[in-house]
Amino acid sequence: MQGRSDDQRELLDAESVAGHLLKAGSVFAFLAGRRQELFPDEMFADLFPTGRGRPSVPADVMASVITLQALHGLSDSETVDAVTFDLRWKTACGLAVSAGAFHATTLTYWRRRLAASDSPNRIFDAVKAVVAQTGVLAGKTRRALDSTVLDDAVATQDTVTQLIGAIRRVRREVPGAVEVIATQCGAHDYDDPGKPAIAWNDKDARDQLVDALVGDAHRLLGHLPEQELGPKAAEAVALLALIAGQDVEPVEGSDGTDGRWRIARQVAGDRVISTVDPDARHVHKSVHHRQDGFKGHVAIEPDTGIITDCALRQASGTDNHEAVVGLELLADEDPGLEVLGDSAYGTAEARIALADAGHTAVIKPIPLRTVIEGGFTRDDFIVDHAARGVTCPAGYTVAITRSRGADFGVRCRDCPLRARCTTAKRGRKLTLHEHDSVLFAARRQAEKPEFQTVYRQHRPMVERSIAWIVRGNRKLRYRGTAKNDSWLHHRVAALNLRRLITLGLDHTGTNWVIA
């Protein structure tokens, strides 16, 4: 059943004893006086549908603890210690000086209850409702989008480790898999979670092991009894099928049907990097900088620094691209926004969607690439979409084909500008984007002084907000997209609350206001 805070203070109530020592304008001081208005009992009533059982920790206490934990980046064990020994935490949560804390697993219990509910991000939503009620964003018509890489909580695994781990997981989760492995799989002793003892400096030995493990995986998948699988079993089978195919290719000379495999020469674009956390991915922030983990996405109001929405997604995949997630973060906004973002948000599809939603894009264009350094780009050609023709810098005009290509062919053979245009023997071929006119207009817009003034003045605030999020929290504590997305929402809720307090947040008894 749901526990409730007692309005009658204890003799050694921490706020009475040490409340005056709290720093004015701190989150601790605010929660000490306003946690029940921010997190009322009825906000969590659906988590305890029956009146039976032992009372839970009061909702306002747990919500305050979760908020402070996210703000300070503490583990569950560190959080329990803080509630037990730190007078600031006791005061913020309305506890007595002599009160002991709950067990660390209570935090896990509450996170699971929240995750399984219809409103898993209710703490974030509560702070968002306060933002709306104060009117602090009234008349603020700019939003800045950005993302950052957050390191995963697991070690990146090689192909051999993943294959063994995936087979062991199927054995553990799928009925009948133990018997199949005993009769069909002999590349490794799957009671041993470690790697086989082979000469790892011998390439042939490594290739033979990979080939044998992939063969075991295929035979296991092919001989599993036909049955309806539960969620965990189905996920284990799907993961093994993915692992068995993502890192290997048929050996040289094989047609792919004879069951001979080797490590692929290229890394799969959406490669699973760990069977412990199948959601973690490789991500490249630059050509030379690679990380493993997830991406956190935010939309902020640049004048106040309030984060209006956030999401944590896998670090690769078209559905997780910045431009796609950025549009989702703006889905609940009213028309008329000026949306700022770097070139990751500058796809033609995103620009069209923003215009359709009534927003104005102040987004850096995707830079054009040239084959020759300092050579001609698409913008040096005159494209007439109405007449379906393209004119090159030398003055030659060709027609645009149905596949949106413009092939100059033999015209480049004796062209005096060839050295700046192409190295292709058959001459320059220009391929136009489906929405070429949208991207061309964006590049022209970015050259205007008014665009550059707005962008340089207002976009840097999102970098500061990203810095607030990752300070001491770059490495995630949980596995999987859902749990880490919940953490990000709690983190952002805590940061927004701190920002609101700095701006003068107060409660009149009926409404939230900025004093």
Side-chain angles (χ1 to χ4, degrees):
M1 63 181 293
Q2 182 176 6
R4 299 178 184 275
S5 293
D6 191 348
D7 292 334
Q8 185 69 33
R9 291 188 177 186
E10 296 190 28
L11 179 62
L12 293 178
D13 176 74
E15 185 179 5
S16 300
V17 174
H20 64 287
L21 299 177
L22 291 178
K23 182 179 178 181
S26 68
V27 177
F28 293 111
F30 178 84
L31 290 175
R34 299 300 184 188
R35 67 180 178 278
Q36 290 182 324
E37 289 90 346
L38 182 61
F39 305 124
D41 289 332
E42 56 270 19
M43 177 178 157
F44 299 90
D46 62 298
L47 301 182
F48 306 92
T50 69
R52 297 189 299 272
R54 186 174 60 183
S56 69
V57 178
D60 62 292
V61 174
M62 282 307 304
S64 297
V65 170
I66 290 172
T67 301
L68 289 171
Q69 179 185 24
L71 181 64
H72 294 278
L74 303 184
S75 67
D76 289 352
S77 178
E78 291 168 335
T79 299
V80 170
D81 285 346
V83 175
T84 304
F85 302 111
D86 193 322
L87 286 177
R88 297 173 302 170
W89 284 66
K90 285 183 177 293
T91 303
C93 298
L95 301 177
V97 173
S98 57
F102 42 79
H103 194 272
T105 55
T106 303
L107 286 162
T108 304
Y109 172 80
W110 272 77
R111 284 195 297 267
R112 287 178 177 173
R113 285 229 165 185
L114 288 170
S117 71
D118 293 333
S119 181
N121 297 320
R122 66 188 68 198
I123 292 177
F124 172 82
D125 293 338
V127 177
K128 191 173 182 177
V130 172
V131 172
Q133 195 172 113
T134 61
V136 69
L137 299 184
K140 304 292 185 181
T141 58
R142 292 190 179 94
R143 299 292 183 269
L145 303 173
D146 204 358
S147 68
T148 188
V149 179
L150 298 168
D151 298 331
D152 57 42
V154 298
T156 301
Q157 297 174 328
D158 59 32
T159 303
V160 170
T161 302
Q162 289 202 67
L163 283 167
I164 293 172
I167 290 173
R168 284 170 53 85
R169 182 173 176 180
V170 169
R171 185 180 69 167
R172 185 171 61 250
E173 301 290 352
V174 180
V178 174
E179 292 77 11
V180 175
I181 291 174
T183 59
Q184 299 292 333
C185 304
H188 178 62
D189 177 8
Y190 292 104
D191 289 329
D192 180 6
K195 290 184 177 181
I198 67 167
W200 287 99
N201 60 348
D202 185 340
K203 181 180 182 302
D204 290 338
R206 296 198 305 271
D207 290 345
Q208 290 174 13
L209 175 62
V210 169
D211 178 58
L213 289 172
V214 174
D216 278 2
H218 287 173
R219 285 188 294 274
L220 173 56
L221 292 170
H223 287 83
L224 285 173
E226 292 188 10
Q227 57 188 314
E228 186 173 344
L229 300 177
K232 287 187 176 181
E235 183 180 336
V237 170
L239 179 61
L240 176 58
L242 177 60
I243 297 298
Q246 69 171 3
D247 288 344
V248 297
E249 63 186 8
V251 299
E252 189 173 352
S254 170
D255 61 359
T257 62
D258 56 4
R260 294 183 295 148
W261 307 93
R262 68 179 183 185
I263 296 291
R265 296 295 181 259
Q266 292 184 332
V267 178
D270 197 30
R271 181 179 185 267
V272 173
I273 63 173
S274 172
T275 58
V276 180
D277 187 353
D279 289 344
R281 293 290 187 272
H282 291 311
V283 56
H284 290 267
K285 285 298 284 183
S286 68
V287 176
H288 304 290
H289 183 203
R290 191 193 77 181
Q291 289 177 256
D292 296 331
F294 300 82
K295 274 190 178 180
H297 304 262
V298 296
I300 74 137
E301 196 291 304
D303 291 340
T304 61
I306 296 294
I307 301 172
T308 57
D309 209 348
C310 64
L312 184 138
R313 298 289 177 82
Q314 289 182 1
S316 63
T318 54
D319 291 341
N320 304 312
H321 190 277
E322 283 86 347
V324 175
V325 181
L327 291 173
E328 295 176 8
L329 299 182
L330 300 174
D332 295 332
E333 296 279 8
D334 294 330
L337 292 179
E338 208 171 50
V339 180
L340 298 95
D342 60 26
S343 59
Y345 300 90
T347 65
E349 293 77 11
R351 293 178 183 277
I352 292 171
L354 287 172
D356 290 344
H359 304 315
T360 301
V362 184
I363 298 174
K364 288 183 69 174
I366 300 171
L368 294 172
R369 296 180 180 179
T370 59
V371 176
I372 300 170
E373 186 176 355
F376 296 129
T377 68
R378 176 263 176 256
D379 287 357
D380 295 306
F381 292 73
I382 300 173
V383 180
D384 188 338
H385 289 283
R388 297 195 61 79
V390 179
T391 302
C392 75
Y396 297 111
T397 301
V398 299
I400 301 174
T401 66
R402 291 184 178 180
S403 59
R404 300 188 298 277
D407 192 349
F408 290 88
V410 296
R411 297 170 182 81
C412 300
R413 187 174 301 164
D414 299 319
C415 178
L417 300 179
R418 179 186 178 93
R420 295 180 57 195
C421 192
T422 183
T423 58
K425 292 182 179 180
R426 296 184 179 181
R428 179 71 178 259
K429 183 176 181 180
L430 191 68
T431 301
L432 301 174
H433 190 277
E434 179 184 4
H435 302 292
D436 173 75
S437 58
V438 174
L439 296 176
F440 180 78
R443 291 191 291 271
R444 297 289 76 79
Q445 178 199 24
E447 295 172 353
K448 297 179 180 179
E450 52 267 32
F451 174 96
Q452 297 174 14
T453 298
V454 171
Y455 190 87
R456 291 170 181 168
Q457 179 179 353
H458 297 287
R459 174 136 195 312
M461 184 62 201
V462 73
E463 302 287 354
R464 188 185 306 175
S465 297
I466 289 288
W468 290 342
I469 291 174
V470 301
R471 187 174 299 157
N473 289 270
R474 174 74 71 180
K475 188 173 182 64
L476 297 167
R477 294 184 180 274
Y478 308 104
R479 291 179 289 179
T481 304
K483 290 181 180 179
N484 284 313
D485 180 67
S486 177
W487 167 84
L488 179 62
H489 278 82
H490 289 154
R491 174 77 175 164
V492 168
L495 293 173
N496 277 346
L497 181 60
R498 186 178 68 182
R499 184 63 182 153
L500 287 168
I501 294 168
T502 300
L503 294 174
L505 180 64
D506 198 6
H507 195 268
T508 63
T510 55
N511 294 306
W512 293 103
V513 296
I514 297 296

